[in-house]
Amino acid sequence: MDAYNISGTNFYLRRNDFDFGTAEPLGLLLIWEEPKYEDNYVIGVDPSEGLGQDRSAVEVNRVGTLKRPDELVAEWCGQINGIDLAPILFAIGKLYSVNGNEPMMAIEQNRGDVVQMELRMRYGWSNLYQYKIYDRAKKAWANRLGWHTNPDTRPKMLQRATNHIRNNKWHINSPWMVDEISNFEYDPEKMKMKAAVGTHDDRVMAGFIALYCSRDWDQYDPEVSPVDTRVQTGKPKNYQQMDISVEEIENDFSGMLYY
């Protein structure tokens, strides 16, 4: 695992020598697997308003195939609002753009509409998850941008994700997300699963959103047809340490450079 700082208006990513034994790595991009040209990625985002102890979380899922499971390969978590989160998402998204194609971002919309608007209007991000909803008046399916957590989608997402975990179809590299899952419990008063008092579930929600939208269980056969948003042409450069700026992103889609 490598840790990187994301800072400045040019979105520089630099290796960070973080002591993981002393504190939680908030505000750092953690990478367990570098982007590969033959793979497909979906990014799940659970934004916050940046107030109090509320956190924003970003999880990058490598979409599984019939031969190997889904895997969370990168993570970012920190106390930040949606506007400030947008450039971080842009940098992570460009890093995991392979074959010249953007990875799909699935942004939770209860507090994520500002993030999504920033990404679309300021940074020109186009590959966003489309939530499918049935219009009873028109008797047809309609699409809405972003992931919408509601009484219908939440239990589906939780059941699909937990089933994937129990059947060893999803590899989670982050020990911090595993810790959040262990503190994810049923609240009898609210009659739903949520983080235990004094703990967080931001990584859990971002990761579960990434997995659900990777498989697109509302429309596709989860065992045969994972979402595929890439075209296999070209191969990005490998990297050990990265330094990404807006100019480099525009000229080199991989954004991966030695220094």
Side-chain angles (χ1 to χ4, degrees), residues 20 24 51 55 67 113 201 210:
F20 294 98
E24 187 178 4
L51 303 174
R55 299 171 173 178
K67 295 183 178 180
D113 54 339
D201 62 5

Side-chain angles (χ1 to χ4, degrees), residues 239-258:
Y239 71 99
Q240 293 178 342
Q241 295 181 326
M242 300 173 295
D243 190 344
I244 304 177
S245 69
V246 172
E247 292 77 18
E248 291 164 349
I249 285 172
E250 291 175 348
N251 296 325
D252 183 351
F253 72 83
S254 69
M256 289 171 278
L257 304 171
Y258 287 107

